[in-house]
Amino acid sequence: MGNPYAPPRPGAQKPTDEARQPGPPPVQGPPGAPQGPQQGPPPGHGRTGGPAGPGGPGKPDPLAQVDPEQLRATTRQVLHFGLLMLVTLVTSSLAFPWRVASLFFAVVTIVFGVRALRAVWRARLGGALLPAVAVGLGLTVTMSLSMIGGLAMWDIEMDNQACLDGAITVAAQQECAVQYEQAREQWTKDQLGR
């Protein structure tokens, strides 16, 4: 046995040349029998025939089964829902007469949220996208119910806003908060007493 690290002898054939020579043709067998040596799936593919993805070998990649156009449309709907949620949140922090606009945005956000939830469900996207859209939709419904409650107490909300507009000290703001809570409690008692 020669030294594998020694330089090749002059006139000797390189080992890589042997690998380049074509092999014998495959032997034909009876009809229905497998032809040639059996090989496994090509590299980069799992046992299911799909590309090996984040699930590892043998598990199909969930995004590989989704139509790219459907994925793009679903992502767009979720993005619109998120932006409308942000607009609803910002308008709900405005002063009271302008806060009424947030109820309109909340209704539009709920409609877009239901559509985004259905799109994510139909696309069968895994991960945290479906729970995130569901939680966002729940928060929007809760905010809209709170805004409807504010509309029911229109006079109390307007009085509180006028009080806060005139309060320039922390003590005056705290006094407005106390008056607001007392007015809300009285309103609730009046409504339950009917």
Side-chain angles (χ1 to χ4, degrees), residues 76-158:
R76 192 178 311 118
Q77 286 183 351
V78 172
L79 182 64
H80 289 163
F81 170 62
L83 288 174
L84 282 169
M85 238 183 108
L86 183 65
V87 170
T88 304
L89 188 66
V90 168
T91 55
S92 69
S93 63
L94 295 174
F96 187 72
W98 304 107
R99 198 181 311 165
V100 177
S102 64
L103 187 59
F104 167 75
F105 286 116
V107 171
V108 173
T109 304
I110 289 171
V111 170
F112 273 79
V114 169
R115 289 175 60 189
L117 192 66
R118 287 178 56 199
V120 171
W121 182 264
R122 284 181 184 163
R124 297 185 181 181
L125 296 175
L129 189 59
L130 185 68
V133 172
V135 167
L137 191 58
L139 288 173
T140 306
V141 169
T142 305
M143 279 193 330
S144 63
L145 291 176
S146 171
M147 293 170 212
I148 290 172
L151 285 178
M153 296 185 290
W154 179 271
D155 294 335
I156 297 170
E157 293 287 342
M158 289 300 289

